[in-house]
């Protein structure tokens, strides 16, 4: 192994409008090393990768490849040098098969490509059927296709953007084995993540980013997770605090034999879902998005109606065929995973966004909007939930994702619901805000609310839930009490284990 | 080099008002060139177009006469446009409104029907509402695009008009012209001023503007409509009834257009004739957009477009401008408005990266 870095960045900066996404970044990747780029949401990791892959261009600074300064105008320039990238959100065509997808990027006859796919698959543990249609593949298999597609171009450097965020624990182990084989083969790997334990397990170097700047260059194996976390968020890790779990009360939400056919070819059919949520209880639904999470959430909220009224029961009332407004009147609240355009209207002020679901909190007099009540409510929400904004008149679309999430969650909590559904509560939210959100949910539980949380983050679910279910291909696993289960057990259900 | 449009965080209020003014200036400048190329003295043409309407009491009242239907229809359309429901067929609802209203004076030509005028206005409004309601029903039940349906229904409305004028409702003493009898005195709207044509339909239009303002800016119903237009998913999430929003949008715009149609036959025309369909329903679309879809803005834009109508008439006569040139002027106004409006909502970013 030579000491000459294969990729070297000096003083690279990138600014979007008023946001300084990257500021004088230095990064150096040695051949054959697995180098982590560690940072929380919004730290500038994705921007940096886009600069290296030629999707965006640095305002300042120079990128060196094998010691030579290079100018990357587009991804194909980067590919020509030997840089491959696996994106967090896959770029595969679902209606084509594996070979066809590969041949869109890699030249060669399909027969030869299919053979090479099999060869690489055996060598690196990336088995996948070259003739399978992509829409029939699991998420892990799709990721393998993406990786194989990059490997066929013989990269010297492979970039992986949050590769484990979509994988069950067992598949993560397989991925790591593959990456280690690639490392032995001499390929350098840039591994982007915010998961500390993974980085400590896999990587031999780590560049830590915070607020667009490099805050550390360390060997992650020599630091514990707490030290890495402090580098990453710049302060003490926020603690969730001990929560007193309460004895569950009456059933507040019951889902029985809920089946629903998918609306489109790429949707998920829900099959025979059963769930029982009691007052003072938090139930988590684990699983990777795209296994029916969206459909289930919309059915519970009323955005999609069930076929039978008694399939969904809120507080002893059959609500399967009622609309969202009627369900809210019964004491139901919902925080959707999409904030802009669903949980809030981007073009409207925060005050007008309060009106969206909180209108029954005395904001209307015979249909006429009482601006004062609306404003007071909004102000209280901003204060109590630490929403960083100039005030109730600020447009929702101008806020960061985390801030808007705090606002929407605050608005729904202020409806003092008896039953609440929260979908992906901390997606795109920084560590501090995520902890605050989880703490709020625990407080609500102590006050006797029944909460259903749909999340991809297993750690989060283990932290706050009493009971877990796993949603896989439209089927819900049995109830797994958190105290008696493990991440591995949940992982087997995520991979499709029955019962 | 690439150009990108990036949404501004907030469009300033000054710019909101600036867009129509700037659009008017740009239109004038471009038409100066256009008129010069046509060999028409540009100064004289603009004088006729923009100033003459204000230079005599009569022509000013003609502006007000044109303004009434444009304002009324545009207020109705703007409500739907803000809810993403595009009623393009106000012209058809206007014609149906005129037809329904005309039934009373046609069957009671002596005026021997109590409450003649209220009956006509109500019949016109109901007719327009039901006619627009057809499009709402097809959209809700079958997902048919209301843009196409309302537009097609306009052509049907004009054929229905032709049928009545050439057949059952033709004035027996009308020398075979396709028109009804002249309406009796009690079927005509009271005039606002003596000896000139504007009638109280202008007051209807102003009341409709007030209603639209209160509903869209201060009532929950208007809020629901705006939400449906801005983020349909947020409206679904909140549980606002989407079919109800579509029906309400179309019904209100149909109601306004129908009343405008009734007012036209009970006003300046005084009978039902083919020329009732002069394109107010289409022009009102321009009026609604130039007014920024805001009730107060539409009052201003309907006045402006009416000035251009009257000015255009006088320009064709006194400055010898072809009719098409007047239409081009109006078209340019909309195009420039949309352009300036875009630059207010978005700013342009130039991407100067050099391709390798």
């Amino acid at each position: 192994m030579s000491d000459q870095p294969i990729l070297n960045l000096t003083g690279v900066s990138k600014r979007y409008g008023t946001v300084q996404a990257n500021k004088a970044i230095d990064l150096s990747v040695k051949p054959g090393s697995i180098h982590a780029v560690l940072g929380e949401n919004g730290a500038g990791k994705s921007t940096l990768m886009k600069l290296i892959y030629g999707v965006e261009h640095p305002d300042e600074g120079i990128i060196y490849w094998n010691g030579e300064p290079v100018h990357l105008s587009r991804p194909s320039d980067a590919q020509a040098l030997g840089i491959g990238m696996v994106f967090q959100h896959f770029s595969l065509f679902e209606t084509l098969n594996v070979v066809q997808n590969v041949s869109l990027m890699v030249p060669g006859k399909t027969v030869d490509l299919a053979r090479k796919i099999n060869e690489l698959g055996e060598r690196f543990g990336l088995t996948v059927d070259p003739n399978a249609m992509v829409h029939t593949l699991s998420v892990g298999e799709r990721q393998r296709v993406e990786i194989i597609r990059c490997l066929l171009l013989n990269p010297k450097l492979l970039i992986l953007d949050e590769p484990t965020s979509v994988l069950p624990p067992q598949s993560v182990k397989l991925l790591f084995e593959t990456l280690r084989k690639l490392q032995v083969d001499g390929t350098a790997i840039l591994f982007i993540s915010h998961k500390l334990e993974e980085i400590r397990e896999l990587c031999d170097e780590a560049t830590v980013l915070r607020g667009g700047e490099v805050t550390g260059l360390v060997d992650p194996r020599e630091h514990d997770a707490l030290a890495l976390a402090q580098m990453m968020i710049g302060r003490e890790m926020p603690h969730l605090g001990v929560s007193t779990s309460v004895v569950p009360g009456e059933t507040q939400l019951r889902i029985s034999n809920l089946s629903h056919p998918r609306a489109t070819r790429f949707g998920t059919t829900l099959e025979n879902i059963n769930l029982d949520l009691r007052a003072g209880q938090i139930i988590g639904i684990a699983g990777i998005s795209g296994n029916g999470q969206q459909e289930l959430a919309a059915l519970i909220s009323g955005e999609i109606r069930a076929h039978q009224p008694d399939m969904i029961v809120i507080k002893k009332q059959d609500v399967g065929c009622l609309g969202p407004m009627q369900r809210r009147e019964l004491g139901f609240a919902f925080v959707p995973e999409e904030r802009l355009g669903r949980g809030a209207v981007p073009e409207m002020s925060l005050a007008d966004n309060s009106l969206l679901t909180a209108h029954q909190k005395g904001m209307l007099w015979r249909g006429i909007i009482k601006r004062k009540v609306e404003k007071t409510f909004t102000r209280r929400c901003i204060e109590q939930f630490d929403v960083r904004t100039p005030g109730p008149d600020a447009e929702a679309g101008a806020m960061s994702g985390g801030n808007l999430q705090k606002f929407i969650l605050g608005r729904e909590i202020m409806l003092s619901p008896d039953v609440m559904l929260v979908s992906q509560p901390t997606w795109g939210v920084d560590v501090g805000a995520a902890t605050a959100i989880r703490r709020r949910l625990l407080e609500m539980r102590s006050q006797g609310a029944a909460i259903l949380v749909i999340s991809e983050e297993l750690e989060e679910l283990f932290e706050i839930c009493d009971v877990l279910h796993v949603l896989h291909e439209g089927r819900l696993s049995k109830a797994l009490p958190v105290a008696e289960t493990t991440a591995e057990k949940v992982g087997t259900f995520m991979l499709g284990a029955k019962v | 080099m690439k150009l990108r449009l990036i949404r501004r965080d907030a469009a300033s209020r000054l710019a909101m008002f600036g867009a129509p003014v700037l659009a008017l200036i740009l239109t004038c400048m471009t038409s100066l060139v256009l008129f010069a190329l046509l060999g028409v003295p540009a100064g004289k043409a603009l004088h006729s177009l923009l100033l003459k309407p204000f230079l005599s009491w009569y022509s000013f009242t003609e502006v007000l006469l044109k303004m009434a239907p444009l304002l009324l229809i545009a207020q109705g359309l703007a409500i739907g446009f803000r809810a993403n429901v595009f009623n393009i067929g106000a012209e058809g609802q206007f014609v149906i409104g005129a037809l329904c209203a005309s039934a009373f004076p046609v069957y009671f030509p002596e005026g021997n029907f109590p409450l003649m005028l209220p009956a006509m206005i109500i019949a016109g409004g109901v007719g327009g509402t039901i006619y627009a309601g057809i499009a709402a029903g097809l959209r809700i039940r079958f997902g048919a695009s209301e843009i196409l349906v309302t537009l097609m229904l306009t052509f049907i409305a004009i054929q229905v008009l032709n049928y009545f004028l050439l057949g059952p409702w033709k004035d027996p003493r009308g020398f075979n012209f396709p028109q009804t009898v002249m309406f009796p005195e009690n079927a005509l709207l009271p005039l606002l001023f003596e000896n000139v044509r504007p009638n109280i339909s202008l007051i209807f239009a102003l009341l409709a503007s007030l209603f639209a303002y209160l509903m869209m800016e201060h009532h929950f119903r208007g809020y629901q409509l705006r939400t449906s237009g801005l983020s349909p998913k947020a409206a679904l999430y909140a549980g606002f009834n989407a079919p109800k929003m579509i029906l309400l949008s179309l019904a209100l715009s149909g109601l306004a257009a129908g009343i405008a149609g009734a007012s036209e036959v009970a006003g300046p025309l005084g009978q039902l004739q083919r020329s009732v369909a002069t394109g107010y329903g289409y022009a009102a679309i321009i009026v609604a957009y130039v007014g920024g879809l805001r009730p107060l803005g539409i009052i201003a834009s309907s006045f402006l477009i009416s000035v251009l109508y009257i000015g255009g008439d006088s320009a064709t006569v006194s400055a010898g401008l072809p009719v098409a040139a007047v239409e081009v002027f109006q078209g340019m106004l909309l195009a420039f408005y949309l352009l300036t409006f875009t630059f207010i909502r978005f700013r342009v970013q130039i991407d100067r990266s050099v391709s390798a």
Side-chain angles (χ1 to χ4, degrees), chain B residues 232-271:
Chain B
K233 273 186 180 168
L236 183 67
Y237 160 74
F240 302 158
N241 186 337
K244 202 164 154 187
M245 296 295 123
I246 294 167
L247 185 64
L248 187 69
S249 299
L250 279 162
L252 285 176
S253 53
L255 175 72
I259 292 176
S263 307
E264 194 66 9
V265 289
L269 293 183
Q271 67 180 158

Side-chain angles (χ1 to χ4, degrees), chain A residues 157-173:
Chain A
L157 173 70
L158 187 64
I159 306 173
L160 296 140
D161 189 3
E162 300 271 2
T164 59
S165 66
V166 293
L167 296 180
Q170 284 84 344
S171 308
V172 171
K173 288 207 177 100

